[in-house]
Amino acid sequence: MAAWKLGPAIACGNTVVLKAAEQTPLSILYFANLIKEAGFPPGVINILNGYGKDCGAAIASHLDIDKIAFTGSTATGRQIMKSASVNLKNITLETGGKSPLLVFADAELEQAVKWAHGGIMSNMGQICTATSRILVQEDIYEKFVSMFKDTVNEVSKVGDPFKEDTFQGPQVTKAQYERVLRYVDSGKSEGATLAVGGEPFTSATSNGKGFFIAPTVFTNVTDTMSIYREEVFGPFVVISSFKTEDEAVNRANDTTYGLGSAVFTTDLTRAHRVARRIEAGMVWVNSSNDSDFRIPFGGVKQSGVGRELGEEGLRAYTNAKAVHVNLGSRL
């Protein structure tokens, strides 16, 4: 995420103040050494550590800063917008998501299951674009759920993230670990069916410590449940069935978010039709969470403002200026 911002910012001639995430500062501090080693002049790239409420707020409200690019929660994005309004800063926000993944009856089921698994369980589910709402056409719903559960059990090996055969490591913080478990309790109390996981994973380490959670799957989920509507940000997915294309699209759009989305079908006409109707900044057809540095990345609704990557990402760090030169019109 730092590279997505630093690259275009520096390429467009800006100097940068980069605040490391308070939960994961070491990677940026290591990167700071590489910046110095590469020979960047002092003051071009500046690294700060600190809590968002203090350090981040100071950056957002500073009168000498003209641009803010932020990746994080929607709630924090709102606060940044308020603070940045002090001098009408240019802002790019990439915030929360509850991305839908639609599987139609004509889809290649095995591929849909594999992509759906990776779309939510990768990186411990801590991906803003994670396709955490899976909507499956009723004709294939039961078969999809069965295959998805099998894939979770076979692929999602929880353990030491430094081991080659580990698929899922711990959640990033204790707070996030506890948040996921609260949503497990919420799903149970609201009447959803816990199909897989939903508990701490205590055998990942020899001492039983660490913020590990068994990959969690809920079925028989309704649209009013909090686990369907709210971003969990963990290895946590809900699977529901639909009858018609219209129903699938309407339910996919029934959210305050609009970051990513996925459509699985062998009917290319349907794929384009559904992609056009889905309210999201990105639509993957027969895949999930594909990205390329040449393709714009960003959301609509409460999933953000602006775009990163591609030409759109470069424009975010420039201002258009019109210069009118009179070459001969005399008054």
Side-chain angles (χ1 to χ4, degrees):
M1 288 187 289
W4 285 13
K5 295 167 174 57
L6 278 174
I10 297 301
C12 291
N14 300 283
T15 57
V16 176
V17 177
L18 176 63
K19 190 196 89 65
E22 58 213 58
Q23 302 89 347
T24 55
L26 291 182
S27 58
I28 293 299
L29 294 178
Y30 182 83
F31 181 67
N33 289 329
L34 299 180
I35 291 171
K36 186 176 181 181
E37 185 179 319
F40 278 88
V44 173
I45 303 174
N46 308 274
I47 311 294
L48 292 178
N49 275 323
Y51 292 110
K53 63 184 179 64
D54 302 316
C55 183
I59 292 172
S61 61
H62 201 289
L63 294 177
D64 290 333
I65 292 176
D66 301 315
K67 163 79 180 182
I68 293 289
F70 168 77
T71 297
S73 72
T74 298
T76 302
R78 291 193 191 100
Q79 293 302 315
I80 287 174
M81 290 187 78
K82 292 178 182 178
S83 298
S85 67
V86 65
N87 62 336
L88 299 182
K89 287 180 178 62
N90 180 314
I91 59 171
T92 300
L93 303 177
E94 195 268 282
T95 53
K98 193 71 174 178
S99 299
L101 184 148
L102 279 54
V103 184
F104 287 92
D106 67 334
E108 291 187 46
L109 196 54
E110 183 178 352
Q111 284 297 304
V113 168
K114 289 180 177 179
W115 280 103
H117 172 265
I120 178 58
M121 297 301 177
S122 297
N123 199 43
M124 292 68 71
Q126 297 168 152
I127 304 174
C128 51
T129 54
T131 39
S132 54
R133 289 186 297 145
I134 301 177
L135 303 176
V136 184
Q137 200 152 25
E138 61 181 8
D139 307 29
I140 59 169
Y141 177 75
E142 295 297 338
K143 188 173 182 180
F144 179 94
V145 170
S146 176
M147 292 175 65
F148 191 88
K149 289 163 60 177
D150 289 343
T151 300
V152 169
N153 292 328
E154 293 169 8
V155 178
S156 288
K157 180 178 179 181
V158 183
D160 183 345
F162 293 101
K163 290 185 177 179
E164 288 293 328
D165 61 345
T166 294
F167 181 87
Q168 179 185 316
Q171 304 310 120
V172 65
T173 62
K174 182 180 181 181
Q176 188 58 36
Y177 165 84
E178 292 174 342
R179 173 185 172 88
V180 176
L181 292 178
R182 284 197 300 272
Y183 275 104
V184 171
D185 292 338
S186 174
K188 292 177 180 177
S189 65
E190 289 182 314
T193 301
L194 178 60
V196 176
E199 59 189 4
F201 192 91
T202 57
S203 57
T205 58
S206 58
N207 59 12
K209 293 184 178 181
F211 306 132
F212 298 90
I213 293 177
T216 300
V217 179
F218 274 96
T219 59
N220 298 318
V221 179
T222 65
D223 297 11
T224 59
M225 294 179 179
S226 59
I227 60 172
Y228 180 89
R229 307 200 68 80
E230 298 173 15
E231 184 179 37
V232 178
F233 212 63
F236 188 114
V237 68
V238 299
I239 308 178
S240 184
S241 65
F242 68 87
K243 292 182 180 180
T244 67
E245 179 182 311
D246 283 343
E247 179 193 349
V249 172
N250 290 336
R251 292 177 63 196
N253 291 338
D254 183 21
T255 174
T256 59
Y257 298 112
L259 192 50
S261 59
V263 180
F264 283 83
T265 178
T266 54
D267 184 340
L268 190 58
T269 300
R270 170 191 276 154
H272 280 290
R273 184 171 62 239
V274 172
R276 185 174 62 250
R277 296 177 63 194
I278 287 183
E279 297 167 354
M282 297 167 287
V283 182
W284 302 289
V285 177
N286 295 327
S287 69
S288 177
N289 280 272
D290 276 349
S291 67
D292 186 291
F293 65 88
R294 294 162 293 190
I295 304 299
F297 180 102
V300 297
K301 299 182 180 178
Q302 293 186 39
S303 285
V305 176
R307 292 294 182 269
E308 296 185 297
L309 303 182
E311 291 185 28
E312 293 296 322
L314 284 172
R315 291 192 186 101
Y317 295 93
T318 63
N319 285 318
K321 177 185 287 187
V323 179
H324 300 262
V325 179
N326 186 344
L327 297 178
S329 296
R330 311 288 296 178
L331 297 179

